Amino acid sequence: MRQDHHITDLHMHTLHSDGTYSTSEVLKMLENKNVDLFSFTDHDSVGCYYDLAEGRAFLYPGVTLIPGVELSCRVDGMMRDMLGYGISVPYIDAYLKDRYSRENRIKKQTQVLDRFKEICRMKGLVFDETIKVEEGKKAEGYTVMYMELNRHPENIVKYPFVEDCTRLFWDFFSNRSSDFFVDETFDLPEFDEAVDVIHKAGGLAFIAHPFVYGLSDEETETLVRLAVDAGVDGLELKHQSNKDGHVEKLLKMAEKYHLYTSGGTDFHGLNKPGIELVTGYGNMLVDYSEVEPWINTVKHFEGADIIL
């Protein structure tokens, strides 16, 4: 496969969801890596695009920005993620503001944190009881506790998986069969609604990181098939969580179900240490040929698209 001149990353997060860097700071990192094709895909937020439209951040020359979002949704009571590319930012913004007011988000994340505290307390983990939710951002209750647990080395000695943000989230916190499970799905749209919203916003819908959820190969294909039934357009082929053989298996599924492919590092900054833009943990790279069939069929970001 050819790489052409494009350096690509179509999955990353800023302070507008559960990343630790501002839109402007992430842009500087992207520029330093000569990235010329990318998408901000904050969880349930398009705030970064308003940073650009309103002059709080600026694109560097020679780049293509695909307006994106990562919508939290549920399948059979389990949390899953749906990426939208080429979206109308105002349409998605209106949908999210209607569904998730700041007051409701803070209330939900406080409930999540309280439940997570209760579980960690029962498991004998050490943490500061005064930690709290401030903004109601996506997964803030989880993130606040994850950061706090890792400030105490004895927690890692007792439960080594606490140190791995992705593993702790998907294998324990979001796993109904785990003693650490906290249900965050009660206000989330179903798969088909998430896909429908992305389509109504003029975008293409991709199921995010199919192998991150700790499922078997058969269960993963079932998840992809459910996404196909919901009208999904593609799947995320490249992701930092992929293990040996995952890309090949996903490529076969994409071919079988006639799906587009995408890819990105899922960069979160300090919340997921060790993950770098473009290369993830150093072992991934999105080839332009993997996104070329659709990348120029969707909307590219122009600040004028946002009515201020």
Side-chain angles (χ1 to χ4, degrees), residues 18 79 108-114 116-117 120 131-133 137-150 161-174 180 182 184 268 271-272:
D18 53 348
M79 182 184 295
K108 173 184 177 176
Q109 291 302 321
T110 298
Q111 290 174 337
V112 168
L113 178 58
D114 287 346
F116 203 10
K117 282 181 178 180
C120 290
I131 58 172
K132 62 181 182 178
V133 166
K137 290 197 276 188
K138 155 74 177 179
E140 186 177 351
Y142 167 80
T143 302
V144 167
M145 181 58 86
Y146 162 74
M147 298 293 284
E148 173 62 20
L149 292 176
N150 279 276
F161 58 80
V162 164
E163 194 173 19
D164 186 328
C165 184
T166 300
R167 186 181 176 212
L168 176 61
F169 185 85
W170 289 114
D171 292 354
F172 295 89
F173 179 82
S174 292
F180 287 82
V182 178
E184 278 200 289
H268 282 70
N271 281 341
K272 292 188 178 180

Side-chain angles (χ1 to χ4, degrees), residues 68-136:
V69 70
E70 187 170 15
L71 297 180
S72 305
C73 46
R74 62 183 175 185
V75 181
D76 295 331
M78 299 295 290
M79 182 184 295
R80 302 292 181 249
D81 291 318
M82 188 69 66
L83 291 158
Y85 293 115
I87 56 168
S88 161
V89 169
Y91 186 94
I92 293 293
D93 190 47
Y95 168 79
L96 293 171
K97 284 181 176 176
D98 181 58
R99 189 177 190 102
Y100 307 114
S101 69
R102 187 173 187 273
E103 181 182 4
N104 285 342
R105 287 187 285 111
I106 290 176
K107 181 178 179 181
K108 173 184 177 176
Q109 291 302 321
T110 298
Q111 290 174 337
V112 168
L113 178 58
D114 287 346
R115 176 57 182 151
F116 203 10
K117 282 181 178 180
E118 182 182 345
I119 292 170
C120 290
R121 202 178 294 119
M122 290 189 301
K123 291 292 184 180
L125 289 161
V126 179
F127 60 92
D128 180 354
E129 291 278 0
T130 67
I131 58 172
K132 62 181 182 178
V133 166
E134 302 283 354
E135 301 176 59

Side-chain angles (χ1 to χ4, degrees), residues 210-211 213-222 253:
F211 273 107
Y213 306 112
L215 305 176
S216 67
D217 290 356
E218 294 75 17
E219 290 169 330
T220 298
E221 182 162 359
T222 296
M253 291 182 212

Side-chain angles (χ1 to χ4, degrees), residues 241-308:
S241 67
N242 285 342
K243 303 294 191 297
D244 290 344
H246 283 175
V247 170
E248 291 76 12
K249 291 170 183 175
L250 289 171
L251 192 56
K252 287 181 180 178
M253 291 182 212
E255 292 171 350
K256 179 177 179 179
Y257 297 108
H258 308 290
L259 298 173
Y260 291 132
T261 59
S262 69
T265 55
D266 203 0
F267 176 76
H268 282 70
L270 299 178
N271 281 341
K272 292 188 178 180
I275 299 174
E276 297 288 337
L277 289 163
V278 181
T279 57
Y281 286 116
N283 59 352
M284 71 159 282
L285 192 67
V286 178
D287 193 289
Y288 182 67
S289 67
E290 293 160 348
V291 302
E292 188 175 20
W294 62 270
I295 202 74
N296 289 313
T297 70
V298 298
K299 178 190 289 290
H300 294 186
F301 178 76
E302 298 288 346
D305 294 336
I306 298 180
I307 301 173
L308 301 177

Side-chain angles (χ1 to χ4, degrees), residues 53-68:
E54 296 170 359
R56 291 185 295 275
F58 300 91
L59 292 178
Y60 50 95
V63 300
T64 298
L65 172 58
I66 306 298

